[in-house]
């Protein structure tokens, strides 16, 4: 092996340290030059080697080194920079095993608590990799050939790779590495195609020739964002690995996992393989999102997306460094240069697609439980909510509405009145949502269950390697699994939903168990032998097998094998479901999915799965929803008050307060536990829950406008504080608070038995949402009063929030007068906007059927400007203007030049009521 040859500085120094572009004028020639740091790096390596050899010799003389035969090159590698050469779990890595791969072996003390630690087996600096054999310019970037001259240690490694580089935009770079000779599976995701090369990229790209490596820098700061020379590139048929250094430790994303928002780089591994399991730290959960956001020093940000749907793990280490390992497909990277975190997420969504605009009712309060037991019991809950005048837009049912847990049926005894319940909901301006699972019962007598019979007839289910429907087990018993990669399945899914909608006219669909989940491992017959179900390398998946509680990886689907498509199952089902709902109702679809993949936001929202009624679960919901904001799925929330186990009154009250500010707000509960809807608690708790829901409903115009901006340009709705204050290092780890948009700070209570909460208030003036009283913060932790009935909300200076008198449904609320809350900046300015349409029609923005208003304050003059108008705006009035931070009592207020009565309080709040202005007309209001 090359790793045992005599060491010289030439071995460690890249043969051509980097290849630089020489400018547009020389693009066609594809010329390359040696970078000036090549000589310097050689001297540095020589010095490091000399120092290491000196230490090694001294250790030999003193007899203090445990392994006298340890090659000096291994001593060059600090612990934090040791990239794992033997990542297989459940293998005791010995020196013999390690050195059989040509790697260094140094034992390290195991970390406490059974966690991962420094790898004992790691790559030496001269481990064989690919060489950049050629590099030529193309119209959009470059194309190169990578050659490996020594085989790697996984079977069927690929000798020659093709490197494609496209400078797609000034802030987006596309790098793709694949087999140069043979086609490989690639994710069937629609992505934009660049038509011309970026003219002024804010990044510079260089290459190391031998070993091949990518070096990406930010031009403005010189920060190295990627350096893949830190470990060898391996590209075998079922093991692809590439590693990079990172410019900081502030890394976010890489879902779906439970944990803090900011990832630990202390030797942690994040596995991406969709799995049905209650959210638990360190487990791979329901969705797969191979995207990370990284904050650099000074407040810049960049993002990296690996477009790959195979089983994958991402290893993080304190170098700081990161290793991507996947077991199929290609290495297809998009890098987004921001430079601020909001722009990174926008650029990411320019590739994967912007989220759909939800109907307004989707932003109301939703109520569900598994275990109502009957439609009459469900109806009683709805009536109780109305009786107490607690806001509710949608009532849901879990699988107990079905007949034998079979899709597209309802229990003819216990849920006989279901059609009448749905009719009643619609009469009251409310909506109905049902659950559906992708497992279709396969045991009904032939001719008695059309969904299975017809799916079988048309060949629409996942098949075994023998070409027969793969049979697993889910709620109805033995089941077949719909193949949503087949366009014909979408038509069959639509027909089933049409048949059921004719009996129960549901409004939204909740698609669950779509990892897909299976109560068996693989199928009723297990899985066949072979390298799809038992690959040469299995990432660190829960259950240690790709088929654990799902179907066989070898299962055949229309588009490919399940090995490649597993992580796409929920996305493909969501796409079919959103399309069917659109055709059935002719309105914006409402879909909530458990399993997700990049671009999911175009078709559905997401809930965070089967959580527990525990305080820590309430906390973990915040990093959960903020992570999905990064993933382009803004319609997200957790089960309020917890799904499993019984809640307490205090926990549920606090959770309802937090949950009222989830973008998607649903209280959901399991069977055989105490009810936890707001009506079952004491008058004090019930009132607190009602009031915070009324606060949410009052903010629906603001929230709806945020969703419009998400749909239009990829803005986040729920937002980490560091998105707005990226230069403030104190915000980088905050995940117990969050923002709505730029300007509404939510500080929930997340602990029992307290009547105050400590939260971070970024630098500037913030106003109490309820009173308008101001807090001038230097950027500090502040203790806030938080009795059980109170949720702390603060409005950022310079914002204007459109709010509305709340009603018990979004339909009632949208007919009420608006109240505009103005939070003046220290320079007495403010800005805000409002998007308004009918709340449900398809493509209102694209068709021009909407109103858009901009509000502005400068020099004591508030101005409302209508930039686009529609008929809906004529039906709504602006009733009140509340201006926070008016330092001097006004002597008069003029509305369009006419004097108006007003009130002014000692806490510097100016209020002008009874305006009666049509939303469709601009106006100005001045105070003197």
């Amino acid at each position: 092996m090359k790793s045992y040859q005599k060491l010289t500085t030439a071995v460690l120094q890249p043969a051509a340290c980097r290849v630089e572009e020489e400018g547009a004028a020389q693009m066609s020639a594809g010329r390359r030059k040696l970078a000036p740091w090549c000589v310097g790096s050689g001297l540095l390596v020589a010095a490091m080697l000399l120092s290491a050899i000196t230490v090694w010799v001294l250790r030999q003389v003193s007899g203090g080194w445990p392994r006298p035969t340890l090659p000096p090159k291994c001593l060059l590698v600090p612990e934090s920079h040791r990239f794992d050469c033997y990542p297989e779990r459940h293998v005791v890595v010995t020196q013999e095993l390690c050195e059989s791969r040509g790697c260094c072996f140094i034992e390290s003390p195991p970390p406490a608590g059974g966690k991962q630690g420094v790898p004992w087996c790691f790559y030496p600096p001269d481990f064989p990799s690919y060489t950049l054999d050629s590099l030529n310019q193309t119209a959009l970037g470059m194309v190169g050939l990578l050659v490996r001259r020594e085989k790697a240690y996984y079977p069927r490694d690929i000798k020659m790779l093709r490197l494609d580089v496209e400078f797609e935009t000034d802030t987006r770079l596309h790098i793709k590495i694949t087999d140069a000779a043979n086609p490989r599976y690639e994710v069937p995701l629609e992505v934009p195609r660049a038509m011309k090369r970026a003219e002024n990229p804010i990044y510079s790209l260089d290459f190391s020739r031998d070993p091949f490596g990518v070096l990406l820098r930010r031009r403005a700061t010189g920060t190295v964002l990627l350096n893949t020379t830190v470990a060898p590139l391996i590209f075998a048929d079922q093991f692809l690995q590439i590693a990079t250094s990172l410019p900081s430790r502030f890394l976010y994303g890489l879902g779906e996992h439970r944990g803090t928002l900011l990832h630990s780089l202390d030797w942690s591994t994040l596995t991406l393989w969709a799995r049905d399991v209650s959210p638990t730290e360190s487990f791979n959960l329901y969705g797969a999102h191979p995207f990370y956001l990284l904050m650099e020093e000074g407040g810049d940000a960049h993002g990296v997306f690996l477009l790959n749907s195979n089983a994958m793990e991402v290893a993080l280490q304190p170098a700081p460094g990161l290793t991507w390992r996947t077991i199929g497909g290609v290495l297809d990277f998009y890098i987004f240069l921001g430079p601020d975190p909001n722009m990174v997420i926008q650029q990411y969504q320019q590739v994967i697609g912007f989220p759909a605009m939800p109907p307004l009712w989707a932003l109301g309060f939703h109520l569900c439980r598994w275990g109502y037991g009957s439609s009459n019991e469900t109806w009683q809950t709805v009536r109780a909510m109305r009786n107490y005048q607690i806001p509710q837009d949608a009532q849901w049912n879990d699988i107990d509405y079905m007949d034998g847990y079979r899709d597209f049926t309802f229990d003819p005894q216990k849920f006989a009145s279901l059609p009448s319940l749905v009719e009643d909901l619609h009469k009251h301006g409310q909506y109905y949502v049902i659950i559906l699972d992708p497992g279709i019962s396969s045991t009904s007598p032939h001719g008695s269950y059309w969904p299975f019979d017809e799916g079988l007839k048309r060949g629409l289910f996942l098949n075994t390697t023998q070409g027969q429907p793969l049979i697993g087990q889910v709620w109805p018993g033995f089941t077949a699994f719909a193949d949503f990669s087949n366009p014909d399945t979408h038509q069959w899914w639509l027909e089933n939903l049409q048949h059921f909608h004719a009996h129960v006219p549901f409004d939204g669909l909740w698609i669950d168990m779509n990892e897909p989940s299976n109560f068996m491992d693989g199928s009723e017959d297990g899985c066949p032998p072979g390298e799809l179900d038992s690959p040469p390398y299995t990432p660190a998946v829960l259950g240690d097998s790709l088929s654990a509680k799902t179907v066989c990886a070898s299962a055949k689907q229309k588009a490919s094998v399940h090995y490649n498509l597993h992580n796409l199952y929920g996305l493909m089902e969501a796409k079919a479901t959103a399309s069917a709902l659109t055709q059935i109702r002719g309105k914006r679809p409402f879909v909530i999915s458990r399993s997700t993949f990049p671009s999911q936001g175009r078709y559905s929202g997401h809930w965070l799965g089967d959580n527990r009624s525990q305080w820590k679960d309430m906390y973990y919901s915040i990093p959960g929803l903020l992570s999905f904001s990064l993933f382009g799925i803004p319609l997200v929330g957790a089960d309020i008050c917890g799904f499993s186990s019984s809640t307490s009154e205090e926990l549920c009250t606090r959770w309802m307060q937090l949950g009222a500010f989830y973008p998607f707000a649903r209280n959901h509960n399991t069977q055989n536990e105490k009810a936890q809807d707001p009506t079952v608690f004491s008058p004090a708790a019930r009132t607190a829950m009602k009031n915070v829901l009324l606060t949410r409903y009052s903010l629906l115009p603001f929230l709806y406008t945020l969703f419009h901006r998400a749909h239009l340009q990829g803005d986040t709705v729920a937002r980490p504080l560091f998105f707005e204050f990226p230069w403030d290092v104190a915000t980088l780890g905050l995940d117990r608070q969050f923002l709505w948009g730029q300007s509404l700070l939510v500080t929930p209570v997340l602990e029992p038995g307290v009547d105050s909460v400590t939260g971070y208030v970024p630098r500037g003036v913030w106003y109490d949402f309820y009173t308008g009283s101001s807090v001038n913060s230097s950027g500090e932790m502040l203790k806030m009063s938080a009795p059980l009935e109170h949720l702390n909300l603060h409005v950022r200076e310079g914002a204007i929030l459109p709010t509305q008198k709340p009603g018990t449904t979004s339909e009632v609320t949208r007919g009420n007068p608006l109240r505009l809350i103005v939070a003046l900046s220290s320079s007495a300015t403010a800005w805000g906007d409002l998007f308004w349409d009918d709340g449900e029609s398809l493509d209102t923005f694209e068709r021009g059927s909407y109103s858009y208003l901009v509000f502005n304050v400068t020099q004591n003059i508030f101005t409302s400007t209508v930039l686009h108008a529609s008929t809906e705006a004529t039906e709504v009035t602006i009733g009140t203007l509340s201006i926070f931070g008016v330092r001097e009592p006004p002597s008069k207020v003029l509305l369009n030049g006419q004097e108006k009565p007003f009130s002014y309080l000692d806490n510097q709040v100016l209020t002008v009521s009874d305006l009666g202005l049509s939303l469709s007309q601009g106006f100005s209001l001045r105070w003197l």
Side-chain angles (χ1 to χ4, degrees), residues 20-62:
E20 281 191 339
E21 271 191 276
E22 290 214 346
Q26 299 167 330
M27 278 197 295
S28 59
R31 293 172 59 188
R32 292 163 282 160
K33 65 179 181 180
L34 200 62
W37 60 260
C38 197
V39 176
S41 70
L43 294 173
L44 177 62
V45 168
M48 289 173 65
L49 184 58
L50 181 61
S51 172
I53 291 173
T54 303
V55 171
W56 182 70
V57 170
L58 289 172
R59 290 278 188 174
Q60 297 293 317
V61 172
S62 66

Side-chain angles (χ1 to χ4, degrees), residues 623-642:
L625 74 93
L626 294 178
S627 291
F628 274 87
S629 291
L630 309 189
F631 301 148
I633 306 175
L635 189 64
V636 60
D639 283 347
I640 297 169
C641 301

Side-chain angles (χ1 to χ4, degrees), residues 732-904:
L732 295 179
L734 295 180
D735 58 9
R736 299 174 71 88
Q737 300 166 270
F738 58 96
L739 293 160
W740 268 12
Q742 297 180 321
S743 51
L744 186 64
L745 176 62
V746 183
T747 307
V749 172
L750 302 172
E751 298 170 346
V754 298
D755 59 6
S756 66
V757 62
T758 301
Y760 187 75
V761 180
R763 176 182 292 275
V765 179
W766 295 81
Y767 297 92
D768 183 291
F769 171 80
Y770 309 99
T771 67
S773 297
S774 63
V775 175
N776 198 339
S777 174
S778 60
E780 56 198 308
M781 298 295 292
L782 294 178
K783 186 176 181 180
M784 311 171 197
S785 175
L788 189 59
E789 69 277 5
H790 185 70
L791 171 70
N792 278 278
L793 299 174
H794 289 88
V795 185
R796 185 180 178 184
E797 63 171 304
I800 299 176
L801 305 188
T803 73
Q804 204 161 17
K805 180 183 177 183
T808 53
T809 64
S810 60
E811 183 179 284
V812 172
T813 301
R814 65 176 276 111
N816 290 339
L818 288 162
R819 175 191 175 214
L820 305 179
I821 296 176
V822 179
L824 293 178
S825 70
S826 52
S827 57
T829 61
W831 186 92
D833 62 344
L834 173 65
F835 177 81
W836 192 272
D837 62 10
D838 69 6
E840 62 178 9
S841 293
L842 295 163
D843 304 323
T844 55
F845 178 78
E846 292 77 5
R847 292 187 290 104
S849 301
Y850 68 95
S851 294
Y852 182 68
L853 291 80
V854 168
F855 310 117
N856 196 48
V857 173
T858 183
Q859 296 181 336
N860 291 6
I861 300 174
F862 175 98
T863 307
S864 173
T865 306
V866 181
L867 297 184
H868 194 278
S870 67
T871 55
E872 284 82 10
T874 61
E875 301 164 7
V876 185
T877 60
I878 297 174
T880 304
L881 199 60
S882 296
I883 306 169
F884 299 167
V886 178
R887 293 176 189 168
E888 301 293 331
S891 59
K892 65 170 70 173
V893 169
L894 302 176
L895 174 63
N896 294 331
Q898 301 294 313
E899 199 165 335
K900 286 286 289 184
F902 64 91
S903 68
Y904 181 82

Side-chain angles (χ1 to χ4, degrees), residues 429-483:
Q430 294 173 303
Y431 299 84
Y432 184 62
V433 180
I434 57 169
I435 192 171
L436 282 177
D437 294 338
I440 302 298
S441 175
S442 61
T443 57
S444 298
H446 181 71
S448 66
Y449 186 50
W450 191 86
F452 178 74
D453 292 342
E454 193 65 19
L456 191 64
K457 176 181 169 184
R458 301 187 198 180
L460 304 180
F461 297 123
L462 271 66
N463 283 337
T464 66
T465 54
Q466 304 303 310
Q468 297 300 312
L470 183 147
I471 302 300
Q473 186 176 2
V474 201
W475 295 113
F478 291 113
T479 56
F481 296 86
D483 177 11

